């Protein structure tokens, strides 16, 4: 009887203890579930002993399906590094805090920021791991979006120098080429069918001019991402052409000096890309001389011997053109010089440069089988030296489509460039058209008001002083709503002109243009 009483009392105590432990366990679970953080306990075998609701909700599994499962059964995609980190905690007892890792769950990949600490028993033995984690998937997505935006910003800044200079190149170079190509084509008509030196010279002019025009189109359309199109040219001319454009961004206190070899040998390469090399070097030199200074260009022919190239990586012996660009600016330290050709390395302030300029220079020179090096000292200026192989052979000429369509209508040409006006007039007259010319929008409107019944089509330059293209167009529309207009420009079509191009414009004529292109666009516009 005493034994039965003892057992009964003991059973009551055990039930009471079990109830107490159950209540405490439920109380603990309630506290854990109230936390927004993901909380988990794991044993030494990486099996889950307890998890809270946040943990279960984030990974998309019920708590009962998680308890007792091994880590790899729930997260089969867990990396070896992640597993080793947890084994290291159990082995060493060292905490691992603020770990960023991802887990593959039924809901997909989730990024968490987690603290992992050793789980000790009452005797101080490590029996598992306790983890506290936050779901940072959305934050990771936001960081990724930010990274993409930063890349776009870097891209925009990288193109900045081209954007600033493209206008000058397009306006000056394309208008010049328009006259050259136009007059050469008119001369070609005079020598059509002959095999004279004059005819060959004209063909050479047309070929060279068209190659140059294509290079400018690449610059405007692809911003140095155009295809590599090699031409044989004189490096002295490329340097001078670059300076003509860059002088527009120079301060008046910077003097340019040339020491160019008049007998310099030709090189073969993408003239557009190599002019970009000099442009970047000039911009860097300008930035290093805020108080003014001197910029010196030197060229000479050199032969690099086997002995010389053996001391330089990737050099090959042979004939080269050597170009040096020297400034009297602030110079660079040895530490800076060691990194100048690395992408994204820059000594400029935030937002002032991406560090891609000299990396681009290095890439272009290497792409031309050339070499570049730099010498500089703080306070003593900087010299960049470029070696480019001398050209061998000639570029095979391509046939130019000279088929033309003639007409007899009257056309008004409005362009502020006298040379372009004159050659366009002669080209149109050669095609059989009657031509009127105006040097500005104001003059063009006066002519159109007087002869609107005779004028069948207007060729209008997009970039003009005094009265803008848009203002001229609007005024022409007021005179005659269905006036036929073809826009001309040395610039490529872009968003800036999208509104103008959508105002019922017949066609867009990219300068410089061939006689065949002009004839086809004029004919097409007149027939609309």
């Amino acid at each position: 009887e005493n034994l039965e009483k003892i057992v009964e009392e003991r059973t009551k105590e055990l039930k009471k203890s079990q109830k107490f432990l159950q209540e405490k366990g439920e109380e603990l679970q309630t506290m854990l579930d109230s936390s927004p953080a993901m909380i988990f306990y794991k044993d030494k075998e990486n099996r889950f002993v307890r998890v809270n609701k946040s943990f279960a909700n984030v990974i998309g599994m019920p708590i009962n399906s998680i308890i007792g499962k091994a880590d790899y059964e729930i997260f089969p995609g867990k990396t070896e590094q992640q597993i080793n980190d947890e084994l290291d905690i159990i082995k060493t007892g060292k905490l691992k805090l603020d770990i960023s890792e991802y887990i593959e769950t039924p809901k997909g990949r989730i990024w968490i920021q987690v603290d992992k600490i050793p789980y000790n028993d009452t005797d101080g033995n490590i029996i598992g791991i306790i983890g506290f984690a936050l779901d940072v998937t959305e934050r990771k997505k936001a960081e990724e979006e930010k990274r993409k935006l930063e890349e776009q910003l870097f891209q925009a800044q990288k193109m900045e120098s081209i954007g600033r200079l493209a206008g000058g190149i397009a306006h000056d170079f394309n208008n010049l080429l328009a006259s050259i190509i136009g007059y050469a084509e008119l001369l070609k008509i005079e020598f059509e069918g002959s095999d004279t030196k004059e005819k060959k010279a004209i063909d050479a002019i047309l070929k060279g001019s068209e190659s140059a025009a294509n290079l400018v189109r690449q610059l405007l359309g692809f911003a140095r991402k155009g295809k590599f199109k090699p031409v044989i040219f004189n490096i002295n001319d490329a340097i001078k052409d670059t300076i003509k454009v860059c002088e527009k961004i120079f301060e008046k206190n910077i003097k340019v000096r040339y020491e160019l070899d008049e007998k310099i040998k030709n090189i073969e390469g993408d003239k557009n890309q190599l002019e970009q090399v000099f442009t970047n070097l000039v911009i860097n030199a300008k930035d290093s001389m805020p108080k003014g200074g001197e910029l010196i260009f030197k060229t000479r022919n050199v032969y690099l011997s086997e002995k010389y190239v053996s001391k330089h990586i990737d050099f090959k012996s042979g004939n080269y053109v050597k170009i040096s660009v020297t400034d009297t600016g602030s110079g660079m330290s040895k530490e800076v010089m060691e990194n100048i050709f690395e992408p994204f390395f820059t000594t400029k302030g935030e937002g002032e440069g991406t560090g891609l300029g000299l990396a681009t220079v290095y890439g272009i020179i290497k792409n031309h089988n050339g070499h570049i090096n730099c010498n500089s000292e703080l306070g003593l200026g900087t010299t960049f030296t470029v070696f480019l192989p001398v050209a061998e052979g000639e570029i095979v000429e391509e046939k130019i489509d000279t088929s033309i369509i003639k007409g007899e209508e009257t056309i008004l040409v409005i362009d502020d460039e006298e040379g372009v006006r004159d050659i366009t007039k002669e080209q149109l007259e050669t095609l059989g058209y009657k031509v009127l010319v105006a040097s500005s929008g104001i003059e063009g409107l006066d002519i159109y008001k007087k002869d609107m019944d005779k004028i069948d089509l207007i060729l209008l330059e997009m970039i003009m002083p005094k009265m803008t293209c848009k203002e001229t167009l609007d005024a022409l529309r007021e005179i005659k709503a269905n006036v036929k207009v073809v826009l001309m420009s040395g610039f490529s079509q872009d968003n800036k002109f999208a509104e103008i191009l959508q105002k019922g414009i017949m066609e867009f004529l990219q300068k410089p243009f061939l006689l065949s292109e002009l004839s086809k666009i004029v004919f097409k516009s007149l027939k609309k």
Side-chain angles (χ1 to χ4, degrees), residues 6 184 382:
I6 292 171
T382 300

Side-chain angles (χ1 to χ4, degrees), residues 445 467 469-479 503:
L445 287 171
M467 192 173 193
C469 173
K470 185 177 182 301
E471 291 170 341
T472 304
L473 269 175
D474 291 340
L476 287 169
R477 299 281 187 220
E478 289 180 8
I479 298 171
K503 285 183 173 289

Side-chain angles (χ1 to χ4, degrees), residues 412-418 421 436-445 447 461 463-467:
L412 171 60
V413 177
I414 305 176
D415 197 305
D416 63 312
E417 290 285 341
E418 183 179 2
R421 284 199 311 274
L436 301 172
V437 295
S439 61
S440 68
I442 297 171
E443 185 181 354
L445 287 171
I447 294 173
E461 163 61 33
I463 305 297
M464 290 191 299
K466 297 179 182 178
M467 192 173 193

